[in-house]
Amino acid sequence: MDVKSAMTRARRGLREERRLYVVAVSSLAVAFLCLGATLLGVTNLDAAADRWGQSGRITLFLKDDADPQDVAQLRVVLEGLSDVREVAHVTPEQAKASFLEEADVGADLSALPKEVFPASLEVSLVNGVTRERSESIATRLGQFRAVSDVESYGSWFQKLDHLLWGARMLAAGLALLVMFCVIAVIGNTIRLAVARRRQEIQVMKLCGATNGFVRGPFVLEGMFQGFASALLAVLALLAGYLSLHESVDSTLAALTGSRVVFLGVWTWLLLLTGGALIGAIGSALSVRRYLSV
Amino acid sequence: MQGTKVVRPFPFFRAGARASQPQLAKPILVLEDVYKFFRPDEPTLRGVNLKVERGEFAFITGPSGAGKSTLLKLLYRELMVDEGRVLFCGRDIGRLTDKSIPFLRRNLGIVFQDFRIIDHWTVFENIAVALEILSMPQRLIRSRVAEALERVGLNGRGDEQTSNLSGGEKQRVAVARAIVPEPALILADEPTGNLDPHLAIDILTLFEEINSTGTTVLFATHDHSLISKRDHRLISIDEGRVVEARQGLKDWPGSGIHTLVG
Ligand SMILES: Nc1ncnc2c1ncn2[C@@H]1O[C@H](COP(=O)(O)OP(=O)(O)OP(=O)(O)O)[C@@H](O)[C@H]1O
Ligand SMILES: [Mg+2]
């Protein structure tokens, strides 16, 4: 097939059928936008999980009446462990101060008594410690006399994992749905375009055009529609991200300590190429059915 | 798109292939005992035998519904023969695969009564399409289209919108599209059917000029004023059979024009 001629004719087709194609592209862009938004959610959950998983942490809450000597001994033990990177002692005053600074909840919380915030040892683990390992360290540390409570964030991770799994499934389901949408919508649009160009198709065939020659432009037009819809969705998502992320960032930072991120390069590249590919498939299926020679 | 692994029975009908010497020596068209049935009991063509030599000009005539269009459709493989053979340059086109049909049609120029011109294309685009199919470079397409426009008397009017043309001009564009790839055989199915008598003669003359350069022309028409003006070979189809006259009406075997039109 002569690709250059097919592209010239596809350009002409896009110009002539632009009204038909604008409708198809805008409705598909909405579908892609839903998928893109879900993917954005997955990306952010992933980023948060990654951040938390990477910087393994254990918080040892100390008893109010803990013997300072016991605490000192505990610190020595902790600093001796190869998995531990750093140990910081947080006094109730510090805990309250940092809470008030981070949580921008609106209500005045400075009246809270400092007893609400127990003293703790913030244990930062070295990178690459598995969750099971940090879990077992936490259990052992819990047996120390000065420790009232241990938080290894295990259940939190489990919840996050569940959430992530759910979001991934949702994204996969949506991707499948969008794929069918694209194939159906573009297939139908191309079917209409084929019907409207029946006369010129007939002329080309009488002049000795091969199937490939006649079908080429239609496949390119479908490909373009898929690509344009995906591009439109990614651009809309980017615009939304750029205009909203600053206001969202500060609250999210307070709650989870992470910032909003945009879709990764590979994700949006995949959206664009996937859109083009599925568009091409949709129109190829359509011309195979409706453009018999 | 045309894979090289496709086995074609007739390599002659491949893109760019040239006819060999023995093929050129054969009659351009031979019909051997051709039958075409649309209804099982009543064939539209029954046992048609015909031989057309290279460079001939022949009228195909007969009453409406006689099967003129059907005969031409068999030649460009819009329809398949039910019995018998159609040989184009010695090749049985009834045995062509679907993939080879485009390459058969590249050897033919086809003109219709209803012009089949794309109205929203320019004159140039309408003619160039026949060459774009052959993947010809644009530069060559431009010069060949200009040449074809000159031959049909539309010199320099390539940029005009086709929808503005008169019927006669549209048919000239259609003729230009048919001749621009320099086909061996022109099939014209009532090309003057939509034109007034004066224009009809013009178009007929145009086909004769094309014929004078060596292109074989089959001209289907039921317009006897046209046929009677020329002494071309006359192939008449009546009730599915062919009756022939070598030298126009004056050579006609029947009892005058009435046996011809029924
Ligand atoms: N695709 C088809 N299906 C069924 N019958 C057909 C088909 N094509 C043609 N016929 C029949 O075959 C006969 C010959 O038709 P054809 O079009 O060849 O006639 P024609 O000689 O070209 O007539 P006209 O001068 O009116 O154009 C007619 O009776 C027509 O009804
Ligand atoms: Mg007819």
Side-chain angles (χ1 to χ4, degrees), chain A residues 1-2 4-5 9 12 15-16 197 199-200 202-213 293, chain B residues 1-2 76 78 98 102-103 105-106 110 112 116-118 120-121 125 129-130 132-133 135 177:
Chain A
M1 183 177 48
D2 185 351
K4 210 173 130 207
S5 143
R9 286 176 298 130
R12 180 155 67 189
R15 204 169 52 232
E16 281 166 10
R197 272 182 258 169
Q199 205 196 3
E200 52 190 85
Q202 195 186 27
V203 165
M204 284 193 259
K205 284 187 192 154
L206 285 173
C207 290
T210 56
N211 272 353
F213 183 89
V293 178
Chain B
M1 215 66 183
Q2 287 290 327
Y76 59 86
E78 177 89 13
D98 284 352
F103 301 105
R105 289 183 183 168
R106 288 173 192 191
I110 313 172
F112 297 93
R116 309 230 177 145
I117 291 291
I118 312 301
H120 59 270
W121 288 1
E125 288 171 325
V129 69
E132 279 164 5
I133 284 164
S135 301
R177 182 180 65 202

Side-chain angles (χ1 to χ4, degrees), chain A residues 177-288:
Chain A
L177 202 68
V178 167
M179 213 167 87
F180 280 119
C181 268
V182 172
I183 287 178
V185 171
I186 289 185
N188 205 41
T189 315
I190 294 296
R191 183 174 64 87
L192 282 175
V194 167
R196 286 159 63 135
R197 272 182 258 169
R198 189 153 297 290
Q199 205 196 3
E200 52 190 85
I201 291 169
Q202 195 186 27
V203 165
M204 284 193 259
K205 284 187 192 154
L206 285 173
C207 290
T210 56
N211 272 353
F213 183 89
V214 178
R215 288 173 178 168
F218 288 104
V219 174
L220 287 177
E221 284 164 40
M223 191 163 133
F224 175 81
Q225 287 174 68
F227 178 79
S229 327
L231 183 66
L232 221 60
V234 169
L235 288 179
L237 214 55
L238 184 65
Y241 167 78
L242 289 178
S243 61
L244 288 179
H245 83 108
E246 270 173 29
S247 55
V248 175
D249 259 356
S250 57
T251 27
L252 200 72
L255 289 171
T256 68
S258 58
R259 319 177 110 257
V260 195
V261 289
F262 192 61
L263 297 174
V265 178
W266 287 112
T267 313
W268 61 257
L269 274 183
L270 193 73
L271 268 177
L272 297 186
T273 49
L277 193 71
I278 299 165
I281 291 171
S283 57
L285 289 177
S286 184
V287 288
R288 275 198 84 81

Side-chain angles (χ1 to χ4, degrees), chain B residues 38 44 63-70 190 222:
Chain B
F38 290 114
T44 298
S64 180
K68 304 182 289 292
S69 301
T70 304
E190 313 227 17
H222 55 213

Side-chain angles (χ1 to χ4, degrees), chain B residues 112-115 167-168 171 190-197 199-200:
Chain B
F112 297 93
Q113 177 173 1
D114 56 359
F115 317 140
Q171 193 60 298
E190 313 227 17
T192 58
N194 278 355
L195 304 176
D196 67 51
L199 279 174

Side-chain angles (χ1 to χ4, degrees), chain B residues 92-144:
Chain B
D92 183 355
I93 66 170
R95 287 173 55 197
L96 288 181
T97 60
D98 284 352
K99 287 217 183 277
S100 303
I101 292 172
F103 301 105
L104 161 72
R105 289 183 183 168
R106 288 173 192 191
N107 297 290
L108 309 173
I110 313 172
V111 181
F112 297 93
Q113 177 173 1
D114 56 359
F115 317 140
R116 309 230 177 145
I117 291 291
I118 312 301
D119 269 338
H120 59 270
W121 288 1
T122 62
V123 170
F124 174 85
E125 288 171 325
N126 265 292
I127 301 170
V129 69
L131 299 178
E132 279 164 5
I133 284 164
L134 308 176
S135 301
M136 204 176 265
Q138 275 298 322
R139 198 169 38 80
L140 199 53
I141 291 181
R142 272 195 294 276
S143 69
R144 296 266 301 254

